[in-house]
Amino acid sequence: MSIVKKYQLGAMFAALLLLSACEKTPPDYRAPVTLPLYTEGDADNGALIYQDACGQCHQLNPGLNKKGPQLMNIYGAHAGALEDYTYSEGLKTSGWVWDAETLDAYIADAEKAVPDSKMLSDPMPDAKERADVIAYLSTLRAPVPTTDDIK
């Protein structure tokens, strides 16, 4: 095979790679929250705690996962269900729904709640702080976009 043909094949291969890279996988969304707001905590204080304790690893925008998955519409969602984030096997198979009880246990001590948890945060022993964070998480509600919204 001549050098020109090798170059042409290499250029075509590079072009195909570039074109396939342009096709971005759309972000995964959780269904809208159907549970009522959690009112046993202070959501405003929970937002501050979230920013300090959780914001480094969690985003609130679908498709913008960081070290942890995005958390929009987390309250009432099935654990480990986003397709665009790689969860630990324990969380994927937990069967959990993120409600006040499961969130409380997980935020209190993720490694104790799910032994192979990927969440590396320090335990949050203060029940009032956890209630405030859960109250805040319960306010994170956004409609699932339609295909018209994604364009």
Side-chain angles (χ1 to χ4, degrees), residues 8-142:
Q8 288 173 334
L9 281 175
M12 286 191 320
F13 182 70
L16 283 172
L17 282 175
L18 286 172
L19 288 174
S20 66
C22 292
E23 188 65 33
K24 186 176 180 186
T25 303
D28 197 6
Y29 295 86
R30 292 185 186 90
V33 178
T34 57
L35 294 178
L37 288 173
Y38 180 72
T39 58
E40 294 183 33
D42 178 345
D44 291 335
N45 191 48
L48 297 173
I49 297 167
Y50 171 90
Q51 198 62 10
D52 185 51
C54 314
Q56 182 179 2
C57 296
H58 294 282
Q59 293 272 352
L60 301 178
N61 299 319
L64 294 179
N65 301 311
K66 290 172 88 175
K67 292 177 188 175
Q70 63 88 3
L71 297 180
M72 185 57 67
N73 292 345
I74 191 71
Y75 195 63
H78 290 276
L82 287 178
E83 294 292 326
D84 61 357
Y85 183 77
T86 305
Y87 296 93
S88 70
E89 196 59 34
L91 194 58
K92 284 193 299 188
T93 61
S94 68
W96 283 9
V97 170
W98 292 121
D99 58 15
E101 182 180 342
T102 55
L103 283 166
D104 185 63
Y106 199 68
I107 295 169
D109 190 341
E111 290 182 31
K112 183 177 176 186
V114 178
D116 74 337
S117 175
K118 289 173 59 177
M119 191 158 99
L120 301 175
S121 68
D122 292 330
M124 189 179 290
D126 187 311
K128 170 74 171 100
E129 286 185 356
R130 293 194 311 270
D132 291 351
V133 171
I134 294 165
Y136 172 66
L137 293 175
S138 80
T139 70
L140 301 177
R141 298 163 185 249

